[in-house]
C-alpha cells in the first residue's frame, strides 16, 4: 500500500443511533493492514507534543477518539499538517514518514492502530538519521 499524499484521511463506518453513535474499524476491511497493536495517548499537557519519530516498517491509523490535535507528517522534502477532530475519521500513515502530534485539546484521546508489534529497531528518533534513511531507500 502506498498513500498518494504523505497521509490520507479515511472515513470509518459511522452508525448513527439516538442512543449514541458507533464506529467500527476492522482490519483489512476498514483499515488497510492487519492490526497487531493498539494504543492510546491521553492527558497530554498543554504545549506538549508526541511522536517526533518515523518507522521503517510500521503503518498506523491515528484517530482522535475525543477532542482534537494536529498531526504533521514529513517525508524529508514535504510537510503536511492534518487536524484530527472526528472519531469516525483516521489518518493513515505509511512507513518512512516522520510524524509529530501537537496542539492537543483538553481531554483529547488519540487512538493508534498499528500494523506491527512494538520493535525498538523499527523507530528512527533522530531527524538527521531519518533524512539519511530516506536518502538510502
Amino acid at each position: 500500500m502506498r498513500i498518494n499524499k504523505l497521509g490520507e484521511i479515511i472515513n470509518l463506518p459511522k452508525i448513527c443511533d439516538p442512543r449514541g453513535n458507533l464506529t467500527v474499524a476492522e482490519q483489512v476491511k476498514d483499515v488497510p493492514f492487519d492490526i497487531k497493536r493498539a494504543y492510546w495517548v491521553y492527558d497530554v499537557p498543554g504545549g506538549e507534543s508526541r511522536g517526533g519519530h518515523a518507522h521503517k516498517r510500521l503503518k498506523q491509523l491515528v484517530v482522535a477518539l475525543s477532542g482534537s490535535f494536529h498531526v504533521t507528517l514529513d517525508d524529508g522534502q514535504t510537510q503536511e499538517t492534518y487536524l484530527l477532530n472526528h472519531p469516525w475519521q483516521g489518518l493513515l500513515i505509511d512507513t518512512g514518514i516522520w510524524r509529530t502530534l501537537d496542539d492537543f485539546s483538553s481531554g483529547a484521546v488519540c487512538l493508534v492502530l498499528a500494523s506491527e508489534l512494538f520493535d525498538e529497531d523499527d523507530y528512527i528518533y533522530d531527524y538527521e538519521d531519518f533524512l539519511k534513511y530516506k536518502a538510502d531507500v
Side-chain angles (χ1 to χ4, degrees):
M1 170 195 64
R2 180 69 199 144
I3 301 167
N4 293 334
K5 294 183 173 189
L6 297 187
E8 179 182 343
I9 296 288
I10 62 171
N11 290 311
L12 298 168
K14 179 181 177 184
I15 301 155
C16 296
D17 187 308
R19 301 168 298 161
N21 297 332
L22 174 74
T23 292
V24 176
E26 295 179 356
Q27 66 184 16
V28 181
K29 180 180 175 188
D30 304 309
V31 179
F33 53 77
D34 289 334
I35 301 166
K36 294 189 180 168
R37 184 167 60 116
Y39 61 92
W40 44 100
V41 177
Y42 54 96
D43 292 342
V44 177
E48 290 297 321
S49 64
R50 299 292 308 214
H53 63 269
H55 292 281
K56 300 171 192 170
R57 295 178 301 280
L58 181 130
K59 299 173 186 175
Q60 295 178 316
L61 182 70
V62 179
V63 179
L65 290 183
S66 179
S68 65
F69 51 89
H70 287 97
V71 181
T72 301
L73 302 181
D74 181 338
D75 67 359
Q77 298 179 2
T78 305
Q79 286 189 354
E80 294 175 357
T81 299
Y82 298 83
L83 171 64
L84 296 183
N85 61 352
H86 298 296
W88 65 87
Q89 290 183 330
L91 177 61
L92 194 57
I93 306 173
D94 207 348
T95 58
I97 301 291
W98 188 269
R99 80 276 332 267
T100 305
L101 290 71
D102 57 15
D103 296 328
F104 285 83
S105 69
S106 177
V109 178
C110 169
L111 170 70
V112 180
L113 303 177
S115 67
E116 303 297 327
L117 299 175
F118 177 80
D119 178 2
E120 186 70 32
D121 293 334
D122 184 53
Y123 284 73
I124 305 170
Y125 289 112
D126 181 81
Y127 190 76
E128 292 302 318
D129 291 343
F130 167 69
L131 294 176
K132 291 176 191 169
Y133 171 80
K134 291 297 285 188
D136 291 341
V137 290

